[in-house]
Amino acid sequence: EYAAYQNALTAFRSRNYAEAEKLFGAILKQFPQGRYADNCHYWIGECNYALNDFAKAISAFKLVLTFTSSPKGDDAQIKLGLCYMKMGQNALAKAEFQKLLDRYPGSEYSQRAREYLDQIK
């Protein structure tokens, strides 16, 4: 599982987003409750975000938030806001940035979320 995950990350870092999405998806099929499941959903979201498929990215990022203690929770939360912002859905974007501040007050993304909230107003 670890080697497959690293392989998928390598594809992502090489900007081969379609291939990376397939590789992360294959890991999820093989290990749906595996130790990298939340991360795989997150990176699938990042692949779709990079490909400007924001609706698909939103679905993936929301799946990350179904894992109660995912280390990718705050990452997924800010990306949800950014997806909605890119789609011009400012009310939804604001709600997601506010959720980041409420759920992850110590997040490294808190300051950015506040800046986005100020921009959208």
Side-chain angles (χ1 to χ4, degrees):
E1 185 182 6
Y2 176 79
Y5 180 72
Q6 291 303 314
N7 189 31
L9 276 179
T10 298
F12 179 84
R13 290 187 182 122
S14 303
R15 293 193 165 98
N16 193 344
Y17 302 120
E19 179 64 18
E21 181 182 9
K22 278 185 205 145
L23 293 170
F24 286 119
I27 295 166
L28 285 170
K29 276 193 183 97
Q30 195 175 356
F31 306 99
Q33 303 301 318
R35 61 187 296 199
Y36 301 106
D38 55 336
N39 285 23
C40 286
H41 287 297
Y42 175 78
W43 290 110
I44 287 170
E46 284 285 7
C47 289
N48 287 298
Y49 186 88
L51 295 168
N52 294 321
D53 190 341
F54 302 116
K56 234 172 138 183
I58 287 167
S59 296
F61 291 134
K62 283 184 175 179
L63 284 170
V64 175
L65 299 177
T66 65
F67 292 81
T68 47
S69 58
S70 172
K72 289 286 188 200
D74 60 338
D75 304 75
Q77 190 65 61
I78 195 151
K79 281 298 201 171
L80 280 169
L82 289 169
C83 285
Y84 286 123
M85 224 166 105
K86 295 260 189 193
M87 294 168 76
Q89 297 182 8
N90 288 346
L92 289 170
K94 282 174 78 168
E96 297 299 340
F97 292 133
Q98 190 56 57
K99 279 184 204 168
L100 177 105
L101 296 174
D102 296 343
R103 291 180 185 163
Y104 307 97
S107 168
E108 62 186 295
Y109 304 114
S110 295
Q111 184 57 42
R112 281 209 342 237
R114 282 189 200 91
E115 289 166 11
Y116 291 132
L117 282 169
D118 288 344
Q119 281 176 27
I120 292 172
K121 284 177 187 169

